[in-house]
């Protein structure tokens, strides 16, 4: 009994000491914050508040969270990793039934900012998150006297996005940001928009419009889905539609390539029988190769596709190679060689007769060379008759008169061995000259064939380049205006 009495007295003494300390502390706080309305309001709201419980008095009633999104800037578009980095202004608000008060009891105070860590916050997040961005920490929320909680904060969003770079640099990307509660179903948390979808779509008031990307619009859609056909979840999806500004890439990628292709077409006006054309086209091909090496880092790279501009560069390189090959063949065709055979008749018929009419070639050189080629047998026959007549005349004069034949030879020195040697030398010179003339005529014929083929291949090449350029230009214009 004595022990119980002593223990009771000790407990009463300790309780009295604690009460005395609490009263002193309260009296001090009351003195310091005697007229602080916000302090009294904060203590009123914090007294007995349970931040781990959804703030509703009837558990059957769901908490509706209204959200809003405004795009501030497009920070980065990583085509290789399929990642979009944006900076958005995110706003959400809901009703907390445990944070309501009567303004008349607190000097007509209708709202207060309190720490976010002290109240219940819905677990709404973005499904496409792939990395934690460098977002500023906003530790406070606004609470209205009706219990309306407003949580406004900027977020750097690093999300996964399926980027289609086929139309680069005239591409339009559509990336989605899906907001939903990761745990709570629609029976607990539902999601709605703070503004109308039209206002969200056309709002560009805070967007920084000076970068590479242009914001077209932001579409919003609401959907309820179920994983196991039992519990339904609410999600709000924002489709951020952006378009690339192509001026930089047009000036630095497309125009240099177009200029090089134009110079390749101009190179066809060099004479086909000179080697300068081949050297010129080889220089262009090397210059285009260096150009592709320089711009390779500018083009976006993905593992699932190649942009159309990359195909354009490859085709332009192939056209330069074809142009160089055509020039080499033409130069080889018209090059003068002593062992070159005559032009076949079917080639003359197709190239020198049909192709010239088809290509509307009106060149006097064609007629001249063709006429020289047709008169060549008659020329040879006249030369042969003249040589035979001269030989017969010289032989008869040496036998009959025995006089000198304009060479200062006397009758004594005009024997048959000397004259036979002279005649053999004259015949050799004549045969050499005839062979040289024949080679010259053959070279002229091949030159004319090469000239006609060069015009034909040039026009085919020009039509191919024009058709390819018009097709790409039309596609890019359509994509730009969509």
């Amino acid at each position: 009994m004595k022990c119980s009495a002593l223990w009771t007295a000790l407990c009463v003494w300790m309780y009295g000491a604690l009460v005395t300390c609490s009263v002193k502390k309260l009296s001090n706080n009351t003195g310091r914050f005697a007229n602080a309305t916000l302090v009294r309001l904060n203590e009123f709201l914090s007294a007995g508040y349970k931040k781990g419980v959804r703030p509703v008095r009837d558990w059957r009633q769901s908490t509706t969270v209204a959200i809003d999104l405004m795009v501030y800037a497009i920070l980065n578009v990583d085509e290789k990793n399929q990642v979009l980095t944006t900076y958005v202004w995110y706003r959400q608000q809901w009703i907390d039934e445990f944070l309501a008060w009567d303004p008349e009891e607190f000097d007509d105070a209708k709202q207060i900012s309190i720490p976010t860590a002290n109240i219940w916050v819905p677990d709404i997040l973005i499904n496409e998150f792939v990395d934690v961005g460098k977002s500023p920490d906003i530790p406070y929320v606004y609470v209205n006297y009706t219990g309306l909680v407003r949580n406004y904060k900027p977020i750097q969003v690093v999300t996964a996005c399926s980027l289609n770079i086929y139309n680069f640099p005239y591409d339009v990307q559509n990336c989605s940001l899906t907001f939903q509660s990761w745990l709570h179903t629609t029976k607990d948390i539902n999601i709605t928009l703070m503004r109308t979808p039209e206002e969200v779509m056309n709002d560009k008031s805070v967007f920084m419009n000076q970068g590479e990307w242009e914001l077209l619009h932001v579409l919003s859609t609401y959907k309820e889905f179920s994983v196991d056909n039992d519990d339904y979840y609410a999600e709000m999806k924002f489709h951020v539609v952006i378009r690339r500004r192509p001026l930089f890439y047009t000036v630095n990628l497309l125009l240099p390539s177009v200029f090089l292709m134009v110079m390749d077409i101009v190179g066809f006006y060099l004479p086909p029988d000179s080697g300068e054309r081949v050297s010129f086209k080889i220089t262009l091909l090397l210059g285009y190769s260096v150009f592709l090496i320089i711009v390779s880092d500018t083009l976006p790279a993905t593992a699932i596709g190649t942009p159309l501009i990359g195909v354009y560069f490859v085709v332009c390189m192939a056209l330069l190679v074809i142009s160089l090959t055509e020039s080499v063949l033409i130069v080889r065709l018209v090059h003068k060689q002593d062992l070159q055979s005559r032009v076949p008749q079917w080639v003359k018929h197709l190239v020198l007769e049909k192709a010239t009419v088809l290509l509307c070639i009106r060149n006097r050189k064609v007629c001249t060379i063709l006429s020289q080629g047709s008169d060549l047998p008659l020329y040879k026959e006249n030369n042969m008759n003249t040589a035979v007549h001269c030989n017969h005349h010289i032989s008869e004069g040496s036998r009959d008169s025995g006089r000198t034949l304009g060479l200062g030879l006397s009758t004594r020195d005009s024997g048959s061995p000397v004259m036979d040697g002279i005649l053999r030398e004259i015949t050799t010179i004549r045969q050499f000259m005839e062979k040289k003339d024949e080679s010259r005529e053959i070279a002229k014929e091949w030159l004319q064939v090469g000239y006609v083929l060069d015009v034909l291949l040039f026009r085919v090449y020009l039509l191919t380049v024009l058709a390819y350029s018009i097709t790409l230009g039309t596609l890019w214009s359509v994509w730009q205006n969509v």
Side-chain angles (χ1 to χ4, degrees), residues 64-294:
T64 301
V65 181
I67 65 175
D68 189 22
L69 183 73
M70 292 186 294
V71 180
Y72 182 75
I74 305 297
L75 300 181
N76 185 33
V77 179
D78 189 352
E79 294 89 355
K80 182 177 182 180
N81 298 317
Q82 299 287 291
V83 172
L84 172 68
T85 304
T86 57
Y87 197 80
V88 300
W89 288 3
Y90 174 65
R91 302 189 297 174
Q92 63 179 3
Q93 61 184 24
W94 66 94
I95 296 295
D96 193 325
E97 298 180 4
F98 301 144
L99 296 179
W101 70 90
D102 186 2
E104 295 180 356
E105 297 179 0
F106 297 93
D107 297 336
D108 203 23
K110 295 184 178 181
Q111 67 179 6
I112 184 176
S113 61
I114 60 178
T116 308
N118 296 341
I119 65 172
W120 178 87
V121 177
D123 60 335
I124 294 179
L125 48 81
I126 303 177
N127 289 345
E128 292 84 0
F129 257 132
V130 294
D131 194 6
V132 178
K134 299 178 181 179
S135 304
D137 185 19
I138 308 298
Y140 293 98
V141 295
Y142 255 135
V143 180
N144 190 273
Y145 71 97
T146 60
L148 179 65
V149 182
R150 292 179 295 173
N151 185 13
Y152 298 169
K153 56 185 176 180
I155 305 176
Q156 180 177 334
V157 184
V158 183
T159 56
C161 179
S162 180
L163 300 173
N164 184 11
I165 62 171
Y166 182 74
N167 302 337
F168 175 87
Y170 302 97
D171 51 335
V172 176
Q173 306 296 340
N174 186 352
C175 298
S176 60
L177 303 177
T178 306
F179 292 83
Q180 75 168 64
S181 174
W182 189 256
L183 178 63
H184 296 87
T185 63
T186 54
K187 297 179 181 179
D188 296 329
I189 294 179
N190 202 357
I191 302 176
T192 185
L193 280 176
M194 292 178 59
R195 300 182 293 172
T196 62
E198 290 75 16
E199 291 176 344
V200 175
M201 180 180 64
N202 299 318
D203 187 10
K204 304 178 185 178
S205 58
V206 299
F207 182 71
M208 294 182 61
N209 200 25
Q210 303 298 326
E212 178 183 355
W213 293 91
E214 175 188 2
L215 178 64
L216 298 182
H217 47 261
V218 179
L219 303 176
S220 58
T221 56
Y222 173 79
K223 185 179 71 172
E224 292 185 3
F225 67 97
S226 176
V227 178
D228 52 4
N229 295 325
D230 187 14
D231 296 328
Y232 287 86
Y233 299 86
E235 71 173 19
M236 185 67 68
K237 181 173 290 187
F238 295 93
H239 298 274
V240 180
V241 183
I242 57 178
R243 179 173 59 191
R244 193 193 306 266
R245 290 187 172 94
L247 180 60
F248 172 79
Y249 299 98
T250 301
V251 173
N252 292 278
L253 297 183
L254 294 180
L255 290 184
S257 178
V258 171
F259 292 157
L260 290 175
M261 294 303 298
V262 170
M263 291 305 299
D264 180 65
I265 294 175
V266 173
F268 278 93
Y269 287 94
L270 291 174
D273 56 340
S274 66
E276 297 297 329
R277 177 190 289 188
V278 176
S279 301
F280 179 75
K281 290 185 177 293
I282 290 176
T283 304
L284 282 179
L285 186 60
L286 292 177
Y288 202 85
S289 302
V290 174
F291 168 73
L292 291 184
I293 293 174
I294 294 174

Side-chain angles (χ1 to χ4, degrees), residues 372-393:
Q372 288 179 354
S374 61
D375 295 340
L376 190 59
L378 181 61
Y379 169 75
K380 291 181 180 179
E381 185 178 357
N382 292 336
N383 286 343
M384 290 292 293
N385 293 335
T386 303
V388 172
H389 178 72
C390 292
N391 188 10
H392 179 71
H393 178 71

